[in-house]
Amino acid sequence: MKGWRISSFGIDQLEAFEAPEPKAGPGQVVVKIHAASLNFRDLMMVKGFYNPRMELPRIPCSDGAGEIVEVGEGVSDVKIGDRVAGIFMQRWLDGKPSAAKQKAALGGDIDGMLAEYVVLASTGVVRLPEHLSYEEAATLPCAGVTAWNAVVTKGGIEPGETVVIQGTGGVSIFALQFAKLLGARVLGTSSSDEKLERAKSLGLDAGFNYKNQGDWADWVVAETEGQGADLLVEVGGSGTFAQSLKAVRIGGAIAQIGVLSQTQEPLQIAPILRKQVRVQGIFVGSREHFVAMNRAIALSGLKPAIGSVFAFEEAKAAFQKMEGASHFGKIVLLVAN
Amino acid sequence: MKGWRISSFGIDQLEAFEAPEPKAGPGQVVVKIHAASLNFRDLMMVKGFYNPRMELPRIPCSDGAGEIVEVGEGVSDVKIGDRVAGIFMQRWLDGKPSAAKQKAALGGDIDGMLAEYVVLASTGVVRLPEHLSYEEAATLPCAGVTAWNAVVTKGGIEPGETVVIQGTGGVSIFALQFAKLLGARVLGTSSSDEKLERAKSLGLDAGFNYKNQGDWADWVVAETEGQGADLLVEVGGSGTFAQSLKAVRIGGAIAQIGVLSQTQEPLQIAPILRKQVRVQGIFVGSREHFVAMNRAIALSGLKPAIGSVFAFEEAKAAFQKMEGASHFGKIVLLVAN
Amino acid sequence: MKGWRISSFGIDQLEAFEAPEPKAGPGQVVVKIHAASLNFRDLMMVKGFYNPRMELPRIPCSDGAGEIVEVGEGVSDVKIGDRVAGIFMQRWLDGKPSAAKQKAALGGDIDGMLAEYVVLASTGVVRLPEHLSYEEAATLPCAGVTAWNAVVTKGGIEPGETVVIQGTGGVSIFALQFAKLLGARVLGTSSSDEKLERAKSLGLDAGFNYKNQGDWADWVVAETEGQGADLLVEVGGSGTFAQSLKAVRIGGAIAQIGVLSQTQEPLQIAPILRKQVRVQGIFVGSREHFVAMNRAIALSGLKPAIGSVFAFEEAKAAFQKMEGASHFGKIVLLVAN
Amino acid sequence: MKGWRISSFGIDQLEAFEAPEPKAGPGQVVVKIHAASLNFRDLMMVKGFYNPRMELPRIPCSDGAGEIVEVGEGVSDVKIGDRVAGIFMQRWLDGKPSAAKQKAALGGDIDGMLAEYVVLASTGVVRLPEHLSYEEAATLPCAGVTAWNAVVTKGGIEPGETVVIQGTGGVSIFALQFAKLLGARVLGTSSSDEKLERAKSLGLDAGFNYKNQGDWADWVVAETEGQGADLLVEVGGSGTFAQSLKAVRIGGAIAQIGVLSQTQEPLQIAPILRKQVRVQGIFVGSREHFVAMNRAIALSGLKPAIGSVFAFEEAKAAFQKMEGASHFGKIVLLVAN
């Protein structure tokens, strides 16, 4: 089988490799991967910024979808032919997070999905909503589950409340879609009018181009009759946390996801306490979150937003696209078919 | 001004009266009522079944909407011309319920809304969503807030989860609409195919005619792949609680609203504990719930379902319609205009 | 090894048996059981009342504690010599309950702990607090975890709130101890002044002898300045649910545990909704609950209350003691040493 | 009557004044203040650091306790002779915070308690636990309620979990006492062995002198078997937030209170999300929190820790003591008797 791996850091160093097809041990399954998707984390991994001491070689990418082609001894929960995606942290099945459960993240602690065949525990995969193609389903494991956890599980948002998204990357667009699914009002920012229009076609109630219009926090406050937003989905970037604190209402929440920047902005203690804000760190989610999200996606017929699709051979170009940060929604890589 | 009051119990005993227009004291407002709506509770009140020792005469009906025509000294939160509805329990503004807060329910402990002019504390009214007529807004205070509390505040329902409604009365139809608003799947029962069709036009995902098809709990279980529903909005009636326990999933919830019957069915302890069910008693809700619901209604453009409209003079006919239990959604009485 | 099993229903039919010592398969451990404890469920099981269609023979008892004497291939979370107890539902490790997780309860769906050696998955045991003897630890898996779930996990009790326990059985005494641990006030009922005194030595704030003093719900209301209690730990018995509804405050909760009786009392719908009560069915709890409970027991030095201890040969007498319902706290059976 | 007020900023500028005794308007009460207590906020207020544009003159201090000596028209919830304290935010009675409710904080937006007589709305006071003196009760409104909100209401701490306090100021010592009340383990830091010993006499399980022993976060991690603490009560100070993030467990929480410093430390985004931490801003609490806290204090017999008591004339010395930051627990000022 073919695959891509990190043998030394850097997009240009990504190495195409060939290897024998893997076999399923007891309790395991072999998944033939049809599509993978990229996250900012995968880019950081490839560049060596996420974990410079990562053991190499390592197959990157947490997100992939495909079909089960072999099941090991004792596997009864899934069967050959099932359409599945891997779960981000292979050991966080359920309940609250812990150090043990956060181990074994795909494409980080262990090999990821950028290969034709992948071996996982049978509990490490979830079935796909029927209406999704492999390309669409491949976008779910990291960005989808992160947004679900931020907006639904931890967000505690009620219909009629206001959610703010930042930009139009994968997590932000999923957050938009899930927030609309539960009846919230969604405000969004971008540096591109065109992307704001595209987000509006997915349900965005109002958009703000911070390139032309200035301070987006003031805009959010104005849009909410001076109250501020109920939830900010904070995906980071320089200076956004201070803006989010300005834009959040008293008693509101900030879902802190942003790996996008290691900001040097000073910690704002005063607004956190004066506004009684809850800042909730979000790090993807559990298998149970993934299953719940898929149920909602299946019921609603929601379609993930795919910004670009690359052939398997174009893996380096796909990572460069991610690096350019000009995408809308998700970047997908076709693997096999 | 004109009004209707209970001087002795019975629909036929409802008494039309004339009285001077009331004045607003400090902190109070006078509301000119344009429309009222009926709840099963109002019928019980009129018939003397709700509280046989209620002090008479008493103006019935908790639900009414109109415009503020006078404000008393010190009132700054609302102004003349504001379109408002009264809140069900005049002292439950916020936070958890208590004995003190549950006092002073309109049309029960104190006079209600079936009159041309009503005096309330300025904190005892909420502003109406702009897109609603007075007739539509008059349906909200009891049935709307009850359904909101059951499905949203206490329901804790996530998109993709399954909610079951019983019949097509006011609370059930609001529960359907709010459950759809937050992305749930809604199953409903009725004895009429026609009403099920009408409910489907409001979003019902699947309906069951218990008159023709038998046991609805079995149907719910079959519709949920053997798991049972996440939330049952239990509005009562003989034998429904046992059915609801059969239809609820392990770890699921029953919102217990049903004043419709004082059932003699035996208490089922075993399924409550074996299935780890949460049975949550719901008694309307607070002013804060009402405001949150209105925000969601305004954002979504949701329209309450009105089944019949009666002229003010036809009050007795309206109560008889309620008694017939053949309505769909809410029964509205026009008061002034 | 020796053991007791149900070959046909009835305490007198309990059968002593001999069998070869079991071996640990992959992922399993062999536990040498030192002590077991009885629950009302175990009695129902032996008498055939819990599940008349249970496959026989079946080794009874969910609760046992002992030491690990063998670990199978791949086991790394526990080791030989570890002092452990089994978890009630071998598959409910974490998170919310489900049909799948509720399968495989010890001494019911599968063989239980009344034998010298027991084989369990390594995830099916938890380590014991160091200060507890095996006899003490054997009381924890069912009654302890049930009370923890009822009072702590689902109870949501704050310091200063009032909890009511009924009688002095295993769950009630654990509920008393956990409620005191978190700073609550605990009121208790019994038919025996002596048992009330003993409960007071464990922290009971006030006791009520319903044999001499009449209606205990009135007493609870009087003790709480007319408000009612915040949480009732309802372990059942004829007529107690109606009393609990009378004794609970508006907005309060009832933890429904009571397998003690299949009452024929009619369901009280009106108080559940008028008082906005939450009735929460409790069916033991997960491995995670057990671990959290043990941490609290270890920190506090809490000692389970043991009412009687029987030798292994006296198993029938132990079940008869349970049947007499005159015990205080837990009934323990010594197995090996 | 006599009082102290801020006419211009600075401890030395505090001005003693005489004024006529105030009268109770409708719905109001006059409280004869017996004791007041100081918070860091009061010091900031006096020095002009909290709100440099505060309207002057202003009577400082949010915290005072005394007896009701007059009730205005329509007051029925309290009566002459009742022993009461004022609530911090006079309009946050209940429910979630909002901009409107956060207005009208004593000793900030409106005049405070450092005077012989104070007029408040009757809903703006709460009754005192009987076993507390006025000096003790005067410590509750700000520091007590803040700690209660942080540890109990928002903390969600279970018995057996670990709470970390920083230093031995008023909030920290209350947090220690409340955490012990609900069965938690409490770890504490200080620069003084003597203060750690004193904290141990109030229940502290283990203490760390950061002056002698270095990095306290490492110590917390070691004391929790490498897991980290469940809740950090973060009262601020340079560099403590980064330490708290290091000391908190995965999925744990930080109660962010710290007005003690406007730190310039950079915001740490990565650990918040990687550890899925909840940072909850705490700004005192509502009347409902105060009442719940008092119930717990009354039940437990808990006594607030008073570090120093000053005569009314020594107000400046009391503020200087606060400025020195060398106190343990609360600084109290006697007002009248």
Side-chain angles (χ1 to χ4, degrees), chain A residues 94-307:
Chain A
D94 206 356
K96 298 180 211 156
S98 70
K101 290 175 179 176
Q102 288 198 179
K103 288 276 172 33
L106 291 174
D109 306 314
I110 60 175
D111 277 340
M113 307 297 268
L114 208 49
E116 273 185 299
Y117 294 93
V118 166
V119 176
L120 298 171
S122 72
T123 53
V125 299
V126 297
R127 277 200 204 80
L128 306 179
E130 284 182 25
H131 72 289
L132 296 189
S133 66
Y134 286 120
E135 288 83 345
E136 289 162 342
T139 66
L140 300 174
C142 179
V145 174
T146 296
W148 180 266
N149 194 359
V151 173
V152 180
T153 312
K154 288 291 188 184
I157 285 300
E158 292 186 352
E161 291 192 320
T162 300
V163 175
V164 177
I165 60 165
Q166 300 170 343
T168 58
V171 170
S172 297
I173 295 300
F174 274 120
L176 159 61
Q177 292 176 297
F178 295 144
K180 290 313 295 179
L181 208 57
L182 51 67
R185 182 172 179 235
V186 184
L187 308 179
T189 65
S190 174
S191 60
S192 151
D193 286 345
E194 187 201 335
K195 286 180 187 166
L196 287 172
E197 283 314 304
R198 193 162 166 201
K200 280 178 188 170
S201 74
L202 294 170
L204 191 74
D205 291 280
F208 184 86
N209 187 328
Y210 55 81
K211 207 165 162 187
N212 307 331
Q213 295 171 275
D215 186 284
W216 64 262
D218 287 344
W219 171 75
V220 168
V221 171
E223 281 284 328
T224 52
E225 298 175 352
Q227 297 299 305
D230 297 281
L231 176 67
L232 282 284
V233 181
E234 169 63 66
V235 294
S238 186
T240 61
F241 190 72
Q243 287 273 296
S244 289
L245 281 174
K246 197 171 165 190
V248 71
R249 76 162 164 79
I250 287 176
I254 296 174
Q256 187 65 44
I257 296 166
V259 287
L260 294 181
S261 70
Q262 297 303 323
T263 179
Q264 287 306 308
E265 55 177 320
L267 172 67
Q268 301 290 319
I269 285 179
I272 293 180
L273 68 100
R274 189 173 46 77
K275 288 181 140 184
Q276 309 199 46
V277 176
R278 174 170 60 90
V279 180
Q280 176 67 58
I282 299 287
F283 188 21
V284 197
S286 69
R287 186 185 200 282
E288 189 187 26
H289 294 144
F290 201 161
V291 170
M293 177 186 75
N294 280 355
R295 187 175 50 177
I297 289 175
L299 176 63
S300 64
L302 183 156
K303 289 271 194 174
I306 295 178

Side-chain angles (χ1 to χ4, degrees), chain B residues 34-110:
Chain B
H34 287 247
S37 86
L38 300 194
N39 296 287
F40 189 77
R41 167 189 177 269
D42 301 316
L43 175 65
M44 292 295 95
M45 211 67 87
V46 165
K47 295 173 78 170
F49 293 172
Y50 195 93
N51 178 7
R53 289 180 301 274
M54 185 166 67
E55 217 174 300
L56 302 181
R58 172 73 75 237
I59 301 174
C61 290
S62 58
D63 294 7
E67 97 195 84
I68 292 182
V69 293
E70 189 198 342
V71 302
E73 192 193 326
V75 170
S76 60
D77 40 355
V78 287
K79 61 184 190 305
I80 290 176
D82 280 357
R83 303 167 72 246
V84 298
I87 61 173
F88 186 88
M89 297 174 207
Q90 288 282 306
R91 293 183 198 151
W92 189 11
L93 304 182
D94 206 356
K96 296 181 212 156
S98 70
K101 290 175 179 176
Q102 289 198 179
K103 288 274 174 33
L106 292 174
D109 306 314
I110 61 175

